[in-house]
Amino acid sequence: MTLPSVLENATTSIGEEKSDKDLRILEQQVHQKLTTFSSGKSKCNSDGNMASQLTYSTESDRNVLPLRPIFKDYAWGIRGLDSRVARYALESGIIDEVDPDTPYAELWMGTHPSGPTTLRDGTTLEEAVGGPLPFLFKVLSAGKALSIQAHPCKAGAQKLHLENPANYVDDNHKPELAVALTPFEAMCGFRRLEEIAILIKKHPEFAACISNEAKLAVFLANRDEDSKKSALRALFQSFMSCPKETSSRQLKRLLKRLQKEQSCDHVHPHEEPPWERKCARAILRLAQQFPGDAGAMAPFFLNYLLIAPGESFYMAANEPHAYVAGEIIECMACSDNVVRAGLTPKFKDVDNLVNMLTYSMGGPTINAGTPAYGDDRIMRYTPPTGEFEVMVITCNPGEDITLPLLPVPSVFIVIEGSGNTDNEDGQRLVMRPGRSYYIPAKCPPLTLAVNEKKRGPLKIALAHENMHKDDPTLASAADVGSKEWSGEFALPLEVSRMFSAWF
């Protein structure tokens, strides 16, 4: 087919109803013909401006290269086209259609052997980079709760991999950060001991799943952190070791009471602190998703957080968490090690989880990013670990923005909007949600541009090795220490005084 005929077909197809697959095939035909037509042309026009060049070579370190990521269909994923992972997978060409019954849970961009990304020609990303990337970049679409889990430190990962390689597939640690794309619910880190003590006294069903010795340790703990951590460990170990018959029976009683309180015989909203109301509703929801699993009582001892779009948090190694619902960008060290203990049909390793946790209290910091490179449209999310860092870059209609020149390899994905790019080599790419790209180290930076007639901004999320480790924007619960909440989440004054006397 000649170039004029391809363009004619493209023009006449504008008004026709086409499937995403048909549109991608048509786009590829136009791309191929324009690439052939433009070969040998000058990269600059008579005014010295950058001209469009659609060619790219996997052999060149000056070209930004399209990627083919990997998707995972874990049971907790969002099903069908409601899932951002599904829509991104369709746009990237790794699936031909979206199955409405399939849970599209994760999209992986990286070099981990459990899901290696490739280029369009089949070359692996690891081959293109010249070695493994230190990070794994993901999009998560969670329709229901993930397991209660933690990720091991390096020494712990090496030990677990040596002892049980079937369940712990590599020997690397897995600290991770998340940036919310939608309102996102998560359980992150242990509650303060004072809060847990209140919940033990208020909910006898929860108390019945904990030994008397562990409860006594909670109420008699000294004010120093070591004493509190020791009591918290005793409580968590006792709860996780509770016989299934006991925990199942107590969970049924708890659910019956909470359902009654949430209906006609409920406590007036002003008589119950918001954090307690949120805790009760979360338990009902988790119990519906995982019938009979005592892990539904996890909100009694884990912080239950609602993260707004654009906000982020960091989970260090050996910190408990469970993502509940919503969609996020996630970046982590290149590992797939997970130690689970509840809310899952998968392998549970309670003993190792109990032994590995730091028992820090108060939860991670929540951060909306920090402007970078002198432009408040570039927000960086920087953890206190060297493997990774994330930037979210926004280009509004009628604007353009040039990405920073990076000395390390990076990967980015379009998360919202559409636009195009150019650079000093004239490499033009079409930006659409779900398309992902690899940028070699020291590659000429792309300039993003959005037509002024567009209704919304173009947003991309970019991951690379941490360039600002000495200036982190995020901290784990262990780094923050126990928090003293204020405002609506503060403990009542009389309760605070009571615990001041106790602790």
Side-chain angles (χ1 to χ4, degrees), residues 203-212 215 238-255 292-297 300:
H203 300 283
E205 303 89 349
F206 176 47
C209 297
I210 304 166
S211 70
N212 290 332
K215 285 182 285 191
S238 176
F239 177 82
M240 299 307 297
S241 303
C242 179
K244 183 172 177 58
E245 316 83 68
T246 301
S247 62
S248 296
R249 182 172 63 252
Q250 295 301 328
L251 178 61
K252 288 181 181 178
R253 292 177 179 174
L254 174 67
L255 295 177
D293 192 324
M297 286 191 262
F300 282 147

Side-chain angles (χ1 to χ4, degrees), residues 21-40:
K21 182 178 179 181
D22 292 336
L23 289 174
R24 285 199 303 274
I25 293 172
L26 186 61
E27 181 184 3
Q28 289 170 1
Q29 291 175 344
V30 175
H31 176 93
Q32 290 167 358
K33 287 298 177 182
L34 286 174
T35 298
T36 303
F37 179 76
S38 64
S39 62

Side-chain angles (χ1 to χ4, degrees), residues 457-480:
L458 167 67
K459 288 187 178 181
I460 70 169
L462 186 148
H464 57 81
E465 187 177 338
N466 198 340
M467 306 298 295
H468 301 89
K469 185 180 177 181
D470 295 334
D471 187 22
T473 64
L474 297 160
S476 67
D479 297 324
V480 174

Side-chain angles (χ1 to χ4, degrees), residues 85-118:
V85 168
R87 300 193 300 272
Y88 287 3
L90 187 66
E91 179 61 40
S92 63
I94 61 174
I95 58 174
D96 292 328
E97 59 182 4
V98 174
D99 180 357
D101 296 323
T102 295
Y104 294 89
E106 294 185 354
L107 193 75
W108 287 25
M109 294 157 283
T111 59
H112 194 278
S114 295
T117 297
T118 61

Side-chain angles (χ1 to χ4, degrees), residues 41 65 73 154 181 228 239 258 268 299 304 362 444-445 464 485:
K41 298 289 185 181
L65 305 176
D73 57 351
K154 284 189 176 181
L181 298 173
K228 291 183 180 182
F239 177 82
L258 291 180
H268 191 277
Y304 199 94
H464 57 81
W485 298 104

Side-chain angles (χ1 to χ4, degrees), residues 132-145:
L133 289 172
F135 61 87
L136 179 58
F137 201 26
K138 296 182 181 181
V139 179
L140 265 69
S141 295
K144 66 177 186 178

Side-chain angles (χ1 to χ4, degrees), residues 10 13 41 52 56 61 108-109 125 156 158 196 203 207 214 220 276 286 316 324 378 380 387 397 413 435 462 474:
S13 297
K41 298 289 185 181
S52 174
Y56 60 83
D61 59 3
W108 287 25
M109 294 157 283
L125 179 57
Q158 291 169 356
I196 297 174
H203 300 283
L220 297 182
E276 289 192 44
L286 293 172
V324 178
I378 303 176
R380 69 173 172 90
E387 287 90 348
I413 185 168
R435 297 191 178 187
L462 186 148
L474 297 160

